[in-house]
Amino acid sequence: MKTNRALEAARARENREKCRDWLILHMSDGKPKLHTKDSYRDLARQQFSCSSAAFNDAWIWAVEDTGRQDWYESRGRNEEA
């Protein structure tokens, strides 16, 4: 039987993985970065109810999984969509 802490940890991991999978859809196939990282974070928080820390983990995983190192670079204000 899992403890409450173990269940919470499992849910947190699942949310990070869902967020990562969602980000991978946006990053894959050479798609351009349409928003700032903060904007993607806001969208992810609405969709997955994840914390900023969880989003940051998912972001790193997605960048590394897709090889899209360019997504680490910030967008300039004049590029904001």
Side-chain angles (χ1 to χ4, degrees):
M1 183 170 138
K2 287 190 175 183
T3 64
N4 284 342
R5 182 170 281 196
L7 290 172
E8 288 176 20
R11 271 194 292 265
R13 175 76 182 193
E14 185 177 318
N15 275 347
R16 281 176 168 81
E17 290 172 351
K18 285 180 184 177
C19 187
R20 178 204 54 210
D21 293 344
W22 176 78
L23 284 166
I24 286 173
L25 291 175
H26 290 273
M27 294 178 184
S28 63
D29 300 324
K31 293 177 184 161
K33 185 176 178 185
L34 298 176
H35 307 285
T36 63
K37 182 178 178 181
D38 288 340
S39 295
Y40 282 106
R41 180 183 296 116
D42 291 343
L43 292 168
R45 290 179 83 175
Q46 291 172 7
Q47 189 163 348
F48 304 107
S49 301
C50 62
S51 68
S52 291
F55 174 82
N56 288 336
D57 288 344
W59 181 271
I60 292 167
W61 294 346
V63 168
E64 296 303 319
D65 288 350
T66 60
R68 293 297 305 270
Q69 304 297 318
D70 56 310
W71 278 56
Y72 281 131
E73 299 168 14
S74 62
R75 293 186 54 187
R77 293 221 182 262
N78 58 352
E79 295 179 52
E80 187 68 28

